[in-house]
Amino acid sequence: MAGYAARNKPSEGKLQELYVKVLALEDATGRKLVLLTSDLIGLPRELSEGIAAEVCRQNGLARDQLMLTVSHTHCGPVVRKSLTDAYDMPPGEAQKVDRYTEQLRGWMVETVRGALSDLKPARLAIGKGSARFAANRRQPTQQSIIIGHNPKGPVDHDVPVLRIETPEGKLRAVIFGYACHNTTLDFYLWCGDYAGFAQAYLEEQHAGALAMFWTGCGADANPAPRRSVELCRKHGRELADAVEGVLRRSMDKLEGPFAARYAEVELPFDALPGREKLAADLLDKNNAVRRRAARLLKIIDAGGKLDDHYRYYPVQVWQFDNRLIWIGLGGEVVVDYDLRLKKELGGGPTLWVTGYANDVMAYIPSLRVLKEGGYEADSSMIYYGMPTKWGPAIEEKIIAKVHELVDDLKKKPSP
Ligand SMILES: [Zn+2]
């Protein structure tokens, strides 16, 4: 199971089914957008780009028309090349992960094809609700910032909602997001966590309709309180109720034309560790530190060089007429990005920021979080197998690329 390095055995059963779901949209000019949501902790680049290449080839789409997202449940399966150095896995388990990852790739490609072959006339509308259970988790102490509870820290309690109904007004799908770690539970059963329960409640309430969840910039938020199935259901219910509330009110009509952009940014690391530091890390008491050091030393010993950048950070922007700008950012993005982009780009059109989109390679701290330190800035990089923490240019590089893509869409809204 994915997400907690402390787990030491495989899953023991299931509390909920896990899903891959796909929304396919087409505007009056034939321009399509495809959103995939999944009960996974993260899609690593190797997997998401493999899926994207196949989906684009089969369906005649460009990369910018496809957004691949996850719920970041910590009660889902490990997939290959995700959180590379986090898990202590016996060899037999690694082979299961490989087999599962291949199956998953097929299911995802298949599900996109199914959605694209099921397009029917629809009316779209958007709205916004609110749920209160996301709490900033970066708790300052005398020595450092720990994962706890920080009532003064920033959070975003918005619940963005997209409603899709038939021309007769029957709900066909509801898509919603929330900026909070999907980590109420840490046990050994498969489960979609609060996002899984919220989707299940909405689908119970609206027979025949699909409920789909995406994660916002919730890297530095946890559900509070947490760690029981009862609390997980309660948070799921609160989120589903927030969505229901929006569906009952009058919502803003959403129309085409649709437009999309996709780009990859090179993000710099801080100063890379040398051989001496890595050799010392081989003796660290943390298994993940030792695994990372061994892997990196092997590269250096073979005459290779550690890359001082991550070269593929994905930034995606979707535009729906002048009503909605929907941004997809890779990695576990802290809330500062979402609050900053809403300030800089909101006001006119509605602005949504999906995190964990297209590639989850690491945490994405803001400059503030990077300077403050703590798990999201620093130690999380170990579990993702990154050589060191990010360089201070990270926030401006990402924000500048978002602005560039949004400006480009304004200038030339058609593909
Ligand atoms: Zn996380």
Side-chain angles (χ1 to χ4, degrees), residues 5-147:
R7 281 205 186 98
N8 57 10
K9 56 186 186 217
S11 158
E12 292 170 340
K14 81 179 168 199
L15 184 61
Q16 283 190 312
E17 295 290 343
L18 302 177
Y19 292 94
V20 167
K21 298 176 183 177
V22 175
L23 169 73
L25 297 171
E26 186 182 53
D27 70 12
T29 70
R31 177 86 174 148
K32 294 184 180 85
L33 296 176
V34 174
L35 172 76
L36 179 146
T37 65
S38 59
D39 290 310
L40 293 170
I41 195 156
L43 284 166
R45 175 182 154 81
E46 182 190 80
L47 180 58
S48 60
E49 286 315 295
I51 291 161
E54 185 61 19
V55 160
C56 291
R57 193 187 59 78
Q58 281 186 11
N59 304 287
L61 299 176
R63 181 66 187 85
D64 58 15
Q65 293 171 273
L66 176 68
M67 195 189 290
L68 301 168
T69 72
V70 298
S71 76
H72 201 52
T73 177
H74 283 42
C75 296
V78 175
V79 298
R80 187 174 58 218
K81 295 260 174 92
S82 171
L83 284 156
T84 308
D85 291 327
Y87 309 114
D88 286 310
M89 263 193 299
E93 292 302 309
Q95 278 152 23
K96 281 190 213 165
V97 167
D98 279 353
R99 276 202 304 276
Y100 177 78
T101 306
E102 281 315 305
Q103 259 184 322
L104 183 66
R105 182 201 303 269
W107 292 332
M108 287 185 163
V109 171
E110 190 71 38
T111 310
V112 173
R113 198 168 40 209
L116 282 165
S117 66
D118 192 25
L119 290 165
K120 294 189 180 94
R123 293 194 311 220
L124 275 58
I126 55 171
K128 183 173 85 177
S130 174
R132 315 271 321 159
F133 63 86
N136 189 292
R137 70 185 200 180
R138 290 173 48 77
Q139 185 181 327
T141 66
Q142 296 287 24
Q143 295 78 30
S144 61
I145 290 182
I146 58 164
I147 293 188

Side-chain angles (χ1 to χ4, degrees), residues 41 72 74 137 181 183 219 332 356 363 384:
I41 195 156
H72 201 52
H74 283 42
R137 70 185 200 180
H181 255 82
T183 50
E332 302 205 35
Y356 302 81
Y363 273 80
Y384 275 105

Side-chain angles (χ1 to χ4, degrees), residues 241-283:
D241 286 349
V243 175
E244 279 297 341
V246 176
L247 292 176
R248 263 185 251 118
R249 290 196 297 271
S250 100
M251 297 174 70
D252 298 326
K253 194 170 153 187
L254 192 65
E255 287 186 319
F258 307 150
R261 291 290 185 278
Y262 186 97
E264 288 176 353
V265 191
E266 301 194 341
L267 295 183
F269 291 118
D270 207 5
L272 291 175
R275 174 184 290 277
E276 215 163 280
K277 164 84 171 85
L278 293 172
D281 280 355
L282 285 176
L283 306 171

